[in-house]
Amino acid sequence: MSRLDPTREFIPCCIAVLAVSDTRSLAEDKSGDVLVQRLTDAGHILAARHILRDDRADIAEQLRRWCADPEIDVILTTGGTGLTGRDVTVEAHRDVYEKEIEAFGTIFTHVSMAKIGTSAVQSRATGGVSNGTYLFALPGSSGACKDAWDEILSIQLDYRHMPCNFIEIMPRLDEHKRRK
């Protein structure tokens, strides 16, 4: 079972938050507010925050810019993970990923099932890695963002979490680029 190792020091991440919505402004971005509050309460640093319309190319370009920024370790997007024609965040993420973290979507579905039952099938939450940066696409509901942060991300983005976590392997995410 997982546990926190009190002998390990917490290592804060620099996290960017991107809301994807055709209808909301940054001032109305409750899901982004939830993520910002939770990540800063946990001791992480908000590196950037932005909102974009549901446009696959624009979303992918923003993700690439942030992945190229050495000051950003993790990108959280909220919105655009559903099934409608305008929901293109997952496709934009996959345009950027070098590796997908398939189990993130599986675990998110498991967490969601406990909260919303079979309606969890309508989310396409996903995670991946690009250029040494973690990326996670979360649904646009504030409840789903709370669930993803509280039950998955807050744990995996904590170096003290045992037996393993995303932070301890972060220095090796782009090791393939350093090989000769």
Side-chain angles (χ1 to χ4, degrees), residues 28-91:
E28 302 164 324
D29 179 24
K30 292 180 183 165
S31 296
D33 291 343
V34 163
L35 291 171
V36 168
Q37 186 67 52
R38 278 174 157 65
L39 73 89
T40 56
D41 285 351
H44 297 291
I45 300 157
L46 178 64
R49 186 170 179 191
H50 195 60
I51 192 163
L52 286 175
R53 294 180 58 78
D54 293 273
D55 181 276
R56 182 176 177 169
D58 290 346
I59 297 164
E61 180 56 32
Q62 181 64 60
L63 296 175
R64 286 186 187 97
R65 274 195 300 273
W66 280 348
C67 286
D69 185 338
E71 299 299 316
I72 296 176
D73 303 312
V74 179
I75 301 167
L76 305 177
T77 65
T78 175
T81 63
L83 302 173
T84 71
R86 295 290 295 155
D87 290 324
V88 295
T89 303
V90 172
E91 288 75 16

Side-chain angles (χ1 to χ4, degrees), residues 105-122 147:
T106 303
I107 297 298
F108 181 79
T109 300
H110 178 76
V111 167
S112 295
M113 281 284 298
K115 310 281 176 135
I116 61 171
T118 59
S119 295
V121 75
Q122 293 185 36
D147 293 343

Side-chain angles (χ1 to χ4, degrees), residues 93-102 126-136 169 172-176 179:
H93 269 251
R94 290 183 173 144
D95 290 344
V96 175
Y97 290 166
E98 293 168 1
K99 293 186 179 189
E100 188 163 358
I101 306 170
E102 288 93 352
T126 186
V129 176
S130 181
N131 201 33
T133 304
Y134 289 110
L135 302 95
F136 299 97
I169 62 171
R172 297 179 45 220
L173 292 178
D174 61 356
E175 67 188 356
H176 63 287
R179 290 188 187 138

